[in-house]
Amino acid sequence: MPFLHTATEKIYYEIHSPVFTDKTETVVMVHSCVTDHTLFDSITAELTQHYRVIQYDLRETGNSASATGEISFEAHIEDLFYLLHTLHIKKCYLVGVGFGGQIAVKFAARYEFLIEGLILLSLPFYSDSTLQKIKRCYNEESKNQIPVDKIFELGKLESLEPTNIQQIIERLKKMDPMVYFRFLKLSITDDLFQEVTSISLPVLTLSGQHDLLFSSQYLISKTMFLKNYSHMTIPNAHSLFLVKEKTALIREIIIDFIKSNTQQLPSLKNDPMKILKNWESDTAIDIQKDFHAHTSSLKVDFLYSFSVYVNGQLITEGWNKRFAQEILLYLIFHHSISREQLCEALWPEMPLSNAKKNLRVYLSHLKKLLNAEHSEPVLLVNRQLISLNADVSSDGLDLLTDLQWITEQSDPALKFKEAEQRLHQLVPHYLTTIYDDWFLDIRVKIEIILLDLLIWMKEWLCENGKVSKAVFLLIKFIDLVEEKEFIYDEIVDCYIKLDNNEKSEYWLNQKMRYLVE
């Protein structure tokens, strides 16, 4: 069986691509917490006639295994990133169901440049009444037993075919109850809204007409003003298992969505006023204007040095105290998180109870720095979530956006020109503001993108007979990446193409010195 191996994880995946070519779209399926990759088996064969389809098991589910037992959203995002990177997938569509939809949204908010569009079934937008139903179920049941009857009652699963019901029962019996409750707790303590509002990709949400947990009305009320969003309510459908309940219809919807997105070529980059697609109501436009007029601006630069501006005013004092800088930077990338997630990310070695106690003091300090008098608060803190309530900008986020836009360009001449210009603006030792593991991981991911871009630029120059310029470019920008081994290989390859044995030997020796050091 194919597995993606990391230092601590073993992620099972399947690739279905009998008609795959370089131009074939890729669809990656992310299942819910009470299923595994087989949830999508009923639609995979048909989709594979049009697209490359990838199914995988989330950590701690199905055939996947974890040495750490960590099932945070951060961990799921990292698993998906490494899966795409290992399989050399530059772009894909994500299809997420339930908890898998939450992962898809969070992944797209972080790595939008890797995603073409999102199709989200039974997306967990929890109303207060729904949360109460789930929490009652969570509190009433023993953590040693998965509440199968409650799941069927809330999800209206009796509408499924008997064979499908039996498959779900068998799957639930095999699942570790502790894992199930950890998934459930993670799902119901998360607020997707900040990530949802940050995504400019085409998004289609699907709900069952009679879905008791994730109602169409509530989801529409939360997303109706958002850019590029569409919603479909599936008639006479109930549950999280829309894929099995309405197999043929879901299959066709996915195909039509991808086709329509492929035909919709105009980019929305630098065009934020297109956020009310297919919505022409003057009232809706007025609401949007009023919303932005009262939203604070937050500018946080951290590419080379750290500085913070709130509504244009530089905040100079207090950043070296009480983890203010680390917490704010984490929020810049994650927008909205729970206290537990923040503590686990920033202080993983500290007991959670101690970390949460300290966090109250740290957040009080950060609120004083960010929340000026007589204006909308920038930092929102309640019992469950910590979030930023501002229009956020940053030189570091600009770099990610620019790299995303460059990698998406289909015109190679334009792509090369924009890439070269952006690389000239970068200098070594960027993103060294802090040295927390999560922040260093972001730097590594940017370096992966830069490395792929540099190799593409070299290959394009060589194809056009400009080998000398290619080697000059590689040498000039080699210090932008820490893992220089691949750049040395490309430089050596250029000098071989130029029949310059002396230079190729020299750079081969440089590579060996680098590896020894």
Side-chain angles (χ1 to χ4, degrees), residues 486-502:
F486 299 104
I487 301 295
Y488 284 123
D489 288 337
E490 298 298 332
I491 294 173
V492 170
D493 181 64
C494 284
Y495 279 119
I496 291 173
K497 286 181 168 62
L498 292 169
D499 293 324
N500 191 329
N501 293 330
E502 181 180 352

Side-chain angles (χ1 to χ4, degrees), residues 454-506:
L454 278 168
I455 293 174
W456 175 86
M457 294 169 74
K458 171 258 182 181
E459 292 175 349
W460 186 73
L461 287 171
C462 290
E463 289 172 2
N464 287 276
K466 299 179 180 179
V467 183
S468 296
K469 183 174 181 180
V471 74
F472 170 79
L473 178 144
L474 291 170
I475 294 171
K476 181 175 180 61
F477 296 126
I478 190 171
D479 288 331
L480 291 181
V481 296
E482 293 290 335
E483 299 295 329
K484 297 179 173 57
E485 177 183 355
F486 299 104
I487 301 295
Y488 284 123
D489 288 337
E490 298 298 332
I491 294 173
V492 170
D493 181 64
C494 284
Y495 279 119
I496 291 173
K497 286 181 168 62
L498 292 169
D499 293 324
N500 191 329
N501 293 330
E502 181 180 352
K503 287 288 188 181
S504 64
E505 286 292 332
Y506 170 81

Side-chain angles (χ1 to χ4, degrees), residues 253-295:
I253 289 172
I254 293 173
I255 293 171
D256 287 345
F257 175 81
I258 296 174
K259 283 182 178 178
S260 64
N261 186 43
T262 304
Q263 294 164 3
Q264 274 185 328
L265 297 179
S267 172
L268 293 179
K269 183 179 187 291
N270 297 326
D271 193 3
M273 294 310 296
K274 291 186 178 179
I275 61 176
L276 295 175
K277 178 185 175 185
N278 297 329
W279 188 270
E280 299 177 350
S281 164
D282 291 337
T283 303
I285 294 172
D286 288 341
I287 291 172
Q288 282 289 333
K289 287 180 178 178
D290 183 66
F291 172 79
H292 289 290
H294 292 87
T295 301

